[in-house]
Amino acid sequence: MTPAVSTTDLAEQFKTAFGRLPDGVWQAPGRVNLIGEHTDYNEGFVLPFAIDKTARVAVGVRPDSTVRLLSTYGDQGLTTADTASLDGRAAKGWTKYPLGVIWSLQQRGIDVPGLDLLLDSDVPLGAGLSSSHAIECAVISALNDLTDAGLRAEEMVLATQRAENDFVGAPTGIMDQSASLRGSKGHAVFLDCRDQSVQLVPFEAESAGLVMLVIDTKVSHSHADGGYASRRASCELGAEVLGVRALRDVGPDDLEEASGLLDEVTFRRVRHIVTENDRVLQTVELLGRQGPAAIGGLLDASHASMRDDFEISCAELDLAVETSRANGAIGARMTGGGFGGAAIALTPVTAEQQVRAAVEQAFARAGYTAPDIFTVTPAAGAMRLA
């Protein structure tokens, strides 16, 4: 994706498209999940951080019920809908995310007016960096202000989750929205997905002589595809058989007994969730006590668990992770829902160029599409810009 345009330029583009200036401009960031994959919908623990790549929306309220949507990228063109007859099955492309937010707010009894909206984003699409949730969080921030709804961050998280689950049709948890809405510069967001409690954990890789590389494999994924839903179904089956509300309630010491109660595949899915929750807790503890340089082994173990137990990696992600480690990264793992997307590599500044070059060469030798490699830093959450 191209770099985001300035706030002033986006407002001017809105004026060109819709014949007036917007009522405001809002932004929300994408996210990188440092560790804690697929634990969110199991009421467990996650540790994402908002990144310095954002979706921004210029929005103007209309006097009728018409919604007009346009983006600065792609070729979808102008999309028109009516707030009185929103249908997730008919929504196409990126427009299903703002339309889903409108629908979800309506389900809460909030009267959402017609509006014109222009989207700009530099969050890579399909890379597992939550480009869709960045859009949703920018839109709900705008509508919360424009309708005087007064929703708290926790309520906006649940509203966007409902948009994803019931309008878009993706059975996602609350991690992505929580990072985008509640992120803070220089911090990761330690989220308890059972009660939405948040602890901001300092994560400043640069001060430890490290950079966080994101390796976008260009293998596109979609949470609405069947792989994600089947993993969630396995987790729900595991919890049912084990007699617990959610896999959050199963600890590492319970795994031996669980192995005798579950079929082999379901047990491996459960084992990933249980051990991943434990890795999140260990990571938070190590960050507080020793800093980012101490967590590399936990990132490596997380990837192995996702590759072998949860089976959501792919050849490109495995190559990115293995090559990064072999060329100086202190830890690496795939990030996001899986089946494609991106890997992260926590890398000494002195090894950054070597890791970049080695991964690019490895992908070329394998005949894969060239990856996009860039750094990210923990950034602030959603906000109004103008």
Side-chain angles (χ1 to χ4, degrees):
M1 305 201 58
T2 57
V5 300
S6 71
T7 303
T8 300
D9 286 346
L10 188 62
E12 286 298 323
Q13 289 182 28
F14 182 97
K15 183 178 180 181
T16 299
F18 298 115
R20 61 192 173 107
L21 287 171
D23 293 317
V25 178
W26 291 259
Q27 80 171 20
R31 66 97 189 93
V32 155
N33 190 20
L34 185 60
I35 197 164
E37 223 65 78
H38 288 259
T39 47
D40 58 346
Y41 56 79
N42 289 287
E43 298 187 14
F45 305 105
V46 293
L47 190 64
F49 60 86
I51 62 174
D52 49 345
K53 294 183 180 295
T54 63
R56 292 192 278 182
V57 292
V59 182
V61 172
R62 295 175 56 88
D64 53 25
S65 61
T66 298
V67 178
R68 297 191 296 176
L69 305 170
L70 189 65
S71 76
T72 61
Y73 60 88
D75 56 3
Q76 187 161 327
L78 183 70
T79 295
T80 302
D82 193 295
T83 59
S85 56
L86 297 178
D87 183 354
R89 294 166 298 181
K92 303 296 183 184
W94 69 270
T95 64
K96 58 192 173 187
Y97 303 114
L99 293 175
V101 170
I102 294 170
W103 174 87
S104 182
L105 291 177
Q106 289 175 331
Q107 301 307 301
R108 297 180 68 96
I110 297 170
D111 184 18
V112 181
L115 53 91
D116 295 327
L117 181 149
L118 177 64
L119 167 70
D120 178 66
S121 178
D122 63 353
V123 184
L125 297 174
L129 302 182
S130 200
S131 57
S132 60
H133 289 93
I135 295 170
E136 291 169 345
C137 291
V139 171
I140 201 167
S141 297
L143 295 182
N144 192 41
D145 286 350
L146 293 172
T147 63
D148 294 319
L151 298 178
R152 296 176 293 112
E154 296 90 334
E155 294 172 309
M156 290 193 283
V157 164
L158 294 177
T160 52
Q161 183 193 23
R162 184 170 187 185
E164 278 280 323
N165 293 175
D166 298 339
F167 191 88
V168 176
T172 57
I174 63 171
M175 174 181 69
D176 297 347
Q177 305 94 320
S178 297
S180 188
L181 288 163
R182 306 178 74 179
S184 176
K185 185 175 181 179
H187 294 80
V189 179
F190 175 40
L191 172 67
D192 183 333
C193 296
R194 173 158 285 172
D195 62 11
Q196 285 205 70
S197 60
V198 158
Q199 175 187 340
L200 295 176
V201 179
F203 182 71
E204 296 184 350
E206 295 85 348
S207 64
L210 303 168
V211 293
M212 180 61 81
L213 288 175
V214 174
I215 304 163
D216 179 0
T217 66
K218 300 297 185 179
V219 179
S220 185
H221 75 157
S222 171
H223 280 169
D225 290 345
Y228 190 102
S230 71
R231 297 306 184 278
R232 183 162 186 165
S234 288
C235 293
E236 291 169 351
L237 173 61
E240 180 181 355
V241 172
L242 296 175
V244 294
R245 168 174 156 175
L247 293 182
R248 149 71 170 275
D249 300 309
V250 182
D253 292 342
D254 300 320
L255 287 174
E256 183 176 356
E257 180 182 357
S259 67
L261 298 173
L262 302 169
D263 66 84
E264 188 264 338
V265 171
T266 304
F267 172 71
R268 286 192 289 110
R269 305 295 188 251
V270 168
R271 182 168 60 187
H272 165 71
I273 300 302
V274 173
T275 58
E276 187 79 346
N277 273 324
D278 188 56
R279 283 187 287 270
V280 174
L281 298 177
Q282 290 184 57
T283 300
V284 171
E285 191 270 335
L286 282 174
L287 284 174
R289 186 162 50 87
Q290 299 181 32
I295 68 170
L298 290 167
L299 301 183
D300 293 345
S302 175
H303 184 79
S305 181
M306 291 184 288
R307 181 192 64 211
D308 301 334
D309 277 354
F310 222 58
E311 295 182 285
I312 55 173
S313 189
C314 64
E316 291 87 348
L317 285 168
D318 291 342
L319 183 61
V321 167
E322 292 159 7
T323 304
S324 297
R325 289 179 190 149
N327 286 275
I330 67 169
R333 64 185 287 273
M334 58 148 284
T335 187
F339 311 102
I344 56 174
L346 188 57
T347 304
V349 172
T350 53
E352 178 184 351
Q353 295 309 316
Q354 180 177 332
V355 170
R356 286 176 178 265
V359 171
E360 290 169 352
Q361 292 165 9
F363 271 57
R365 285 194 301 269
Y368 298 152
T369 300
D372 188 14
I373 306 175
F374 51 92
T375 61
V376 293
T377 58
M383 68 180 73
R384 183 171 188 163
L385 298 175

